[in-house]
């Protein structure tokens, strides 16, 4: 078995909270500081106290006890909330910052796209920066010459290649930086959220380039909050939280763990469920919700079954006569909304009566790909949503081979119209 392209062992990085970044230091400053440290150590040796000296500053660990291995040619997504340590990990791998503890082993040339303009000298032109980046990677001028025209064409900045990059927009920076990293001979490519700066067309172009066979053999670590992009590009993902590795495995499972893939139920008492409102007041009228297939409560559906959402509400007397708008959204494991509907858009505009009210939504055929889905609920008037419960319910779509063969092509984009029913229930 070949050695991994990247090996991270017990990696940790800490920062002092409130510590000032040291400015420019003269030789005199350095000698004075060295002498003061030497005297401090002499005094501590003569002291009988064995207690460690406190610096007076609190520290925060951006990374702690991180151990990972990445094989050559592997494309891995690094995901997690802001402050989870994703960018810190890439900065250590690219040798921008030193780790506090642990070690990193990297085999091959490393190219990185961490921040807009990283690795570029603002006073040099785009042309000069291309050759500078090549030299930093250890490439000869002749090697860069062969790739130069491709780099400029991909970046689409031919008119500005001889302009100092300090005059570039952030989008032009990203275009040239990614083009250099994509075309020069690197073995490892580290890509942070920087691609989000580019326009949609260029982002798509970059994703296509990373999936191109010319990238075969390159180890790519891709940090992004764009979960669909991570899912499409990466077969493996690593989830970081508070500087530690929470999960490492197949991308789909890691993404579902990140966004709460194990949460949610097919039926639920909503009395104490957390809710929010787009505009005061905040209602607490929704009491119970459930999903059923042909009248049987369940959390598993086949595409040919009837999907029914039922929500029971308790309408107070002061709200009697209001025109209510009830709706729901269905989102997939990547957080993308695949279907949304409400009673207003379907013309169901009945006046509310005080007491128990039941809203029901029916889908004759649930045309969704296999996987886990989440239902969010909202209730309001015709102007605002006064009660929103996110991810109130969850369900699975399961296909059997027979069902998959009987469904039409592209069935994931075909939805039956939602049928609605609003019922005023008598109090028992």
């Amino acid at each position: 078995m070949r050695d991994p392209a990247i090996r991270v062992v017990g990696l940790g990085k800490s920062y002092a909270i409130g510590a000032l970044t040291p400015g420019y230091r003269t030789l005199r400053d350095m000698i004075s500081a060295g002498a003061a440290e030497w005297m401090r150590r002499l005094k501590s040796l003569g002291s009988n106290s064995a207690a460690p000296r406190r610096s007076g500053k609190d520290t925060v660990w951006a990374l702690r006890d991180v151990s990972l291995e990445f094989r050559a040619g592997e494309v891995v997504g690094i995901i997690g909330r802001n402050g989870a340590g994703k960018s810190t990990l890439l900065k250590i791998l690219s040798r921008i910052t030193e780790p506090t503890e642990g070690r990193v082993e990297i085999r091959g040339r490393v190219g990185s796209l961490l921040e807009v303009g990283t690795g570029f000298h603002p006073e040099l032109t785009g042309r000069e920066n291309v050759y500078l980046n090549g030299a930093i990677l250890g490439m000869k001028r002749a090697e860069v010459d062969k790739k130069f025209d491709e780099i400029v064409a991909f970046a689409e900045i031919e008119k500005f290649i001889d302009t100092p990059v300090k005059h570039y927009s952030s989008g032009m920076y990203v275009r040239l930086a990614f083009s250099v990293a994509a075309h020069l001979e690197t073995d490892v490519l580290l890509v942070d959220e920087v691609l989000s700066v580019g326009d949609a067309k260029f982002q798509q172009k970059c994703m296509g380039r990373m999936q191109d066979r010319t990238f075969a053999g390159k180890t790519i670590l891709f940090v992004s909050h764009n979960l669909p992009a991570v899912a499409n590009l990466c077969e493996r993902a690593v989830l970081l939280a508070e500087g530690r590795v929470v999960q490492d495995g197949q991308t789909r499972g890691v993404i579902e763990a990140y966004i709460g893939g194990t949460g949610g139920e097919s039926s639920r008492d909503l009395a104490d469920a957390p809710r929010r409102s787009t505009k005061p007041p905040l209602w607490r009228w929704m009491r119970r919700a459930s999903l059923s297939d042909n009248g049987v409560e369940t959390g598993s559906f086949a595409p040919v079954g009837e999907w029914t959402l039922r929500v029971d509400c308790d309408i107070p007397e002061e709200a009697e006569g209001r025109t209510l708008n009830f709706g729901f959204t269905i989102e997939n494991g990547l957080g993308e909304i695949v279907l949304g509907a409400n009673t207003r858009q379907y013309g169901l505009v009945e006046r509310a009566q005080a007491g128990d009210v039941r809203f029901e939504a029916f889908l004759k055929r649930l045309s969704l790909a296999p996987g886990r889905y989440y239902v969010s609920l909202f209730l309001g008037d015709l102007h605002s949503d006064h009660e929103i419960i996110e991810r109130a319910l969850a369900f699975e779509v399961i296909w059997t081979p027979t069902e998959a063969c009987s469904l039409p092509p592209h069935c994931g984009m075909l939805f039956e119209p939602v049928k609605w029913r609003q019922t005023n229930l008598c109090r028992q």
Side-chain angles (χ1 to χ4, degrees):
M1 183 177 178
R2 292 186 302 173
D3 291 332
I6 303 174
R7 178 181 284 131
V8 178
V9 181
L11 194 65
K13 178 65 179 178
S14 65
Y15 294 96
I17 298 177
L20 295 176
T21 302
Y24 175 76
R25 300 178 71 190
T26 64
L27 178 61
R28 177 184 295 176
D29 294 332
M30 296 174 68
I31 293 174
S32 299
E37 178 65 16
W38 182 71
M39 292 298 294
R40 187 193 64 77
R41 291 185 179 183
L42 283 179
K43 290 180 180 180
S44 64
L45 288 174
S47 173
N48 292 328
S49 175
R53 187 179 67 94
R54 296 179 59 88
S55 64
K57 301 185 184 71
D58 293 327
T59 59
V60 59
W61 287 89
L63 290 174
R64 195 70 189 266
D65 194 26
V66 173
S67 297
L68 294 165
E69 289 189 357
F70 304 102
R71 299 187 302 272
E74 196 172 26
V75 182
V76 183
I78 311 293
I79 61 175
R81 298 182 182 276
N82 291 330
K86 306 183 300 296
S87 297
T88 302
L89 175 61
L90 294 198
K91 286 180 179 179
I92 293 175
L93 295 179
S94 59
R95 300 184 180 89
I96 290 177
T97 186
E98 291 289 330
T100 305
E101 63 184 20
R103 72 178 191 275
V104 174
E105 301 172 8
I106 302 178
R107 292 171 175 82
R109 294 170 172 168
V110 179
S112 59
L113 283 171
L114 305 185
E115 295 177 5
V116 175
T118 299
F120 281 8
H121 194 295
E123 299 296 334
L124 300 181
T125 65
R127 182 186 303 273
E128 291 166 338
N129 272 292
V130 171
Y131 283 96
L132 175 62
N133 272 261
I136 291 172
L137 291 173
M139 298 180 66
K140 296 180 180 179
R141 186 179 182 88
E143 294 179 85
V144 181
D145 285 338
K146 292 180 181 178
K147 302 280 188 178
F148 185 81
D149 291 340
E150 294 180 44
I151 292 172
V152 176
F154 187 91
E156 301 175 0
I157 57 167
E158 293 91 340
K159 294 181 180 179
F160 309 100
I161 193 63
D162 290 309
T163 301
V165 297
K166 66 181 180 180
H167 299 303
Y168 284 12
S169 66
S170 59
M172 293 169 68
Y173 258 117
V174 170
R175 287 176 181 271
L176 186 58
F178 182 85
S179 188
V180 169
H183 289 85
L184 296 184
E185 299 299 326
T186 58
D187 301 295
V188 176
L189 181 59
L190 311 175
V191 184
D192 205 340
E193 194 66 49
V194 64
L195 287 184
S196 62
V197 177
D199 55 70
K201 183 179 178 182
F202 185 71
Q203 288 183 40
Q204 188 175 17
K205 191 175 181 180
C206 293
M207 294 301 173
R209 178 71 182 181
M210 285 193 280
Q211 291 175 317
D212 193 87
R213 58 186 176 186
T214 57
F215 257 48
K218 287 189 178 183
T219 304
I220 303 175
L221 301 189
F222 181 53
V223 168
S224 180
H225 290 288
N226 186 343
L227 298 183
V230 173
N232 290 331
L233 185 65
C234 310
E235 293 184 358
R236 174 187 169 195
V238 176
L239 173 60
L240 296 180
E242 298 181 352
R244 297 179 183 271
V245 176
V246 175
Q247 190 165 337
D248 179 5
Q250 290 188 339
T251 303
R252 174 71 62 171
V254 174
I255 288 176
E256 289 188 355
Y258 172 44
I259 61 177
T262 57
E265 305 169 64
S266 60
S267 62
R268 184 178 177 190
D269 184 352
L270 302 176
D272 298 321
R275 58 249 285 160
R276 63 181 180 85
S277 170
T278 58
K279 183 180 179 180
L282 175 64
W283 296 348
R284 303 189 69 86
W285 297 357
M286 290 190 281
R287 294 299 178 184
R288 189 180 187 278
S290 64
L291 295 171
S292 61
D293 184 357
N294 293 313
V296 180
E297 286 193 8
T298 180
S300 299
F301 293 85
V304 294
E306 183 181 86
W307 182 91
T308 302
L309 167 67
R310 179 179 291 119
V311 178
D312 292 333
C313 303
D314 185 4
I315 309 299
E317 291 185 0
E318 60 268 21
E320 188 164 1
R322 280 182 178 267
T323 302
L324 300 181
N325 182 39
F326 170 77
F328 69 91
T329 59
I330 299 176
E331 63 182 70
N332 61 18
L334 300 178
E336 300 170 306
I337 295 177
V338 296
L339 177 64
N342 61 72
T343 54
R344 181 185 181 186
Q345 80 183 83
Y346 280 82
L348 183 62
V349 285
E350 297 183 11
R351 298 289 179 178
Q353 297 181 18
D356 295 336
V357 173
R358 173 174 291 171
F359 291 98
E360 292 175 289
F362 305 90
L363 270 171
K364 190 172 183 180
R365 187 172 67 186
L366 191 64
S367 300
L368 293 171
R372 190 172 181 85
Y373 295 86
Y374 306 89
V375 181
S376 296
L377 309 172
F378 57 91
L379 180 65
D381 52 30
L382 298 183
H383 305 289
S384 299
D385 297 327
H386 298 300
E387 186 174 2
I388 302 171
I389 303 178
E390 296 177 341
R391 298 201 167 202
L393 302 172
F395 64 93
E396 300 276 350
V397 174
I398 302 173
W399 285 10
T400 65
T402 304
E403 290 164 346
C405 294
S406 65
L407 292 172
H410 311 298
C411 67
M413 298 183 182
L414 300 176
F415 284 100
E416 298 284 340
V418 178
K419 296 181 180 179
W420 292 94
R421 184 164 63 206
Q422 178 177 329
T423 308
N424 295 313
L425 306 175
C426 297
R427 289 181 180 271
Q428 299 296 327

